[in-house]
Amino acid sequence: MKTMKSCIAELIDEEILSHLHQHETNEEFIERICGLWLEEVAANKGYAPKGYGADVVEEIELQVTEVFRMKTYGYYNLQEYRQMHLKKRIS
C-alpha cells in the first residue's frame, strides 16, 4: 500500500515539468498539487470525519510542501528547476 507522501511525490513528478503551467510560482504549484490531490481523494471516496476537514487539508498542504522542497532542493525556485531540467533534456 502506498503512503500519502509517495502518492503526492508521484503526482509532483507528473506535474513538475508540465508545459501547461510554465510560469507558475512555487506557491501556485503547491496550491495546484493540493487541489489535484484533494480531487484524487474525493474521486476515491475518501472523506474526513466531521470536523476534521481543515486538519486533513492542512496535512495535505504540509506533505505537498515537504515533497516539493525535497524535489527542488538546490534550486532557487520552481522556474530555475524547470529551466535546468529543460537544458538537461536538450543536451
Side-chain angles (χ1 to χ4, degrees), residues 21-78:
H21 306 279
Q22 291 180 359
H23 302 290
E24 65 191 342
T25 65
N26 292 4
E27 294 78 19
E28 291 168 338
F29 179 79
I30 290 169
E31 185 177 314
R32 183 167 66 84
I33 296 301
C34 288
L36 290 171
W37 183 247
L38 285 169
E39 289 174 10
E40 182 74 24
V41 170
N44 289 312
K45 306 292 185 213
Y47 298 98
K50 188 173 184 172
Y52 290 97
D55 293 334
V56 170
V57 170
E58 183 179 331
E59 181 62 26
I60 290 170
E61 289 171 349
L62 289 171
Q63 295 292 320
V64 169
T65 301
E66 181 180 333
V67 173
F68 173 77
R69 287 181 179 157
M70 288 188 302
K71 295 277 184 190
T72 59
Y73 182 80
Y75 297 92
Y76 181 69
N77 58 25
L78 178 60

Side-chain angles (χ1 to χ4, degrees), residues 1-11 37 40-41 59 63 66-67 70:
M1 187 170 128
K2 292 183 179 181
T3 65
M4 178 172 71
K5 189 178 283 189
S6 66
C7 292
I8 288 171
E10 288 177 9
L11 181 58
W37 183 247
E40 182 74 24
V41 170
E59 181 62 26
Q63 295 292 320
E66 181 180 333
V67 173
M70 288 188 302

